[in-house]
Amino acid sequence: MTIQTPYYLIDKARLLQNMEKIAYVREKSGAKALLALKCFATWSVFDFMRQYMDGTTSSSLYEVRLGREKFGGETHAYSVAYADYEIDAVVSHADKIIFNSIGQLERFGDRAGGIARGLRLNPGVSSSSFDLADPARPFSRLGEWDADKVEKVMDRISGFMIHNNCENADFTLFDRMLSRIEEKFGALLGQAEWVSLGGGIHFTGEDYPLDAFCERLKTFADRFGVQVYLEPGEASITKSTTLEVTVLDTLFNGKQLAIVDSSIEAHMLDLLIYRESAKVAPNEGPHRYMVCGKSCLAGDVFGEFDFPAELKIGDRISVQDAAGYTMVKKNWFNGVNMPAIAIRELDGSVRVVREFGFADYEQSLS
């Protein structure tokens, strides 16, 4: 089957490897797993993922509604701040609502009286090495820091969300930070019924010590008598998806350049935000190219990669690990067409589940 590039290709066989690890952690630790929609919200594979996960967690009204309608299971709502005009709709789609601050709890807690209410805690430490993504950065607005203030509203909540891991593949660091949380908030945790430890824990990565992770989660749950939740985003879909692109032109300007029919600003925005390079496999051979996007942004560059042969117009390149924070962030910059979304089924067949065209671009504007 020939599909016009660019398109995201979700491989269910690769996705299954992550799902099986999540299922293992659920079974061995007793923790529940919620898909973080802020990272990945391509609902055409939700029927597959829901077999291995307990539900979804969200960051906005639209995400919580999508989770309720397309995934099912438990639906957790969180937002940095809710607006008065949306809070009732959020509550109508959620099983649990997590407020970012005591102020939001006091303002909207009564309107969420029919579902479980929680509060975000900020332990003041995280695994992030990038200030932009560090929830414990100075003057952070993400969660409550003062245990004494939280103690005064414990009669209004039943649980907590603590998200301080960011692309953390180091179990020792996770363990150390969880110990810090126990020390700082132990008196509060002992009064809770449930605690979400958020996302950013790369426990589906290669060689991650799953059994030690499960034991640590179970010890934490038993110590405080809580139901533990995990909110895997990247861990759910890591290495499951490629962005398929085609070479449109080649040129030389001190380096060999190849321009493809995609754009990092439009299709893989995090590469630009965090100044990272894309991944291309196998990335070996005698011919080195800087692979560039087709937008007019000067820095629209996927990275430099090695290829076994000279690139020619019409050649295909598969950009690896292209699921997380891509489809949820794609945009219409320069009017560059959005990639289609395709799925490779377990039997190897490929189907296109979504294509975009001029009407989508036109209707996104006014």
Side-chain angles (χ1 to χ4, degrees), residues 225-246:
V226 293
Q227 172 63 59
V228 170
Y229 288 89
L230 302 173
E231 301 180 2
E234 195 79 48
S236 300
I237 43 77
T238 185
K239 297 184 178 180
S240 70
T241 299
T242 56
L243 174 60
E244 301 294 318
V245 302
T246 298

Side-chain angles (χ1 to χ4, degrees), residues 59-309:
S59 301
S60 66
L61 168 58
Y62 288 169
E63 283 188 354
V64 71
R65 178 175 175 179
L66 185 76
R68 171 66 79 192
E69 295 183 357
K70 297 295 188 179
F71 200 106
E74 288 195 46
T75 308
H76 289 203
Y78 166 76
S79 176
V80 173
Y82 294 109
D84 183 77
Y85 61 81
E86 66 182 355
I87 187 65
D88 293 334
V90 169
V91 171
S92 74
H93 295 295
D95 299 300
K96 289 183 174 67
I97 185 167
I98 297 142
F99 294 104
N100 183 66
S101 69
I102 292 173
Q104 285 265 299
L105 170 65
E106 291 176 339
R107 182 178 177 188
F108 296 124
D110 290 344
R111 290 166 70 173
I115 62 175
R117 296 168 298 187
L119 192 65
R120 178 169 183 169
L121 298 179
N122 192 323
V125 61
S126 84
S127 65
S128 177
S129 59
F130 202 95
D131 181 67
L132 181 67
D134 185 357
R137 61 189 288 177
F139 317 113
S140 175
R141 72 201 194 284
L142 301 175
E144 292 286 353
W145 299 57
D146 190 328
D148 291 336
K149 290 182 178 179
V150 176
E151 178 68 44
K152 296 175 183 178
V153 298
M154 285 304 299
D155 60 330
R156 306 194 65 185
I157 60 176
S158 61
F160 298 107
M161 187 267 278
I162 306 167
H163 174 53
N164 67 327
N165 287 279
C166 302
E167 297 185 351
N168 185 6
D170 183 346
F171 170 72
T172 301
L173 176 58
F174 167 80
D175 177 39
R176 189 164 66 245
M177 291 197 303
L178 188 56
S179 295
R180 169 80 174 266
I181 289 169
E182 291 172 326
E183 293 169 8
K184 183 176 178 64
F185 295 121
L188 299 175
L189 300 175
Q191 301 175 62
E193 297 175 11
W194 53 273
V195 176
S196 171
L197 297 178
I201 310 165
H202 198 50
F203 63 89
T204 57
E206 293 181 12
D207 301 322
Y208 193 88
L210 278 182
D211 289 325
F213 180 58
C214 292
E215 183 60 34
R216 185 66 176 93
L217 294 176
K218 191 172 186 305
T219 299
F220 177 86
D222 291 344
R223 176 180 177 182
F224 297 105
V226 293
Q227 172 63 59
V228 170
Y229 288 89
L230 302 173
E231 301 180 2
E234 195 79 48
S236 300
I237 43 77
T238 185
K239 297 184 178 180
S240 70
T241 299
T242 56
L243 174 60
E244 301 294 318
V245 302
T246 298
V247 176
L248 301 179
D249 194 13
T250 60
L251 58 154
F252 180 81
N253 187 8
K255 292 183 178 181
Q256 294 289 350
L257 311 178
I259 300 172
V260 299
D261 57 352
S262 181
S263 161
I264 64 169
E265 181 160 32
H267 305 153
M268 296 190 75
L269 186 59
D270 270 12
L271 295 181
L272 185 65
I273 293 174
Y274 295 104
R275 300 184 180 277
E276 296 177 344
S277 291
K279 302 171 186 174
V280 170
N283 193 17
E284 58 185 34
H287 302 278
R288 188 165 185 81
Y289 285 82
M290 178 183 289
V291 177
C292 308
K294 66 175 293 184
S295 82
C296 66
L297 179 70
D300 192 353
V301 176
F302 284 84
E304 294 188 35
F305 311 101
D306 298 320
F307 297 90

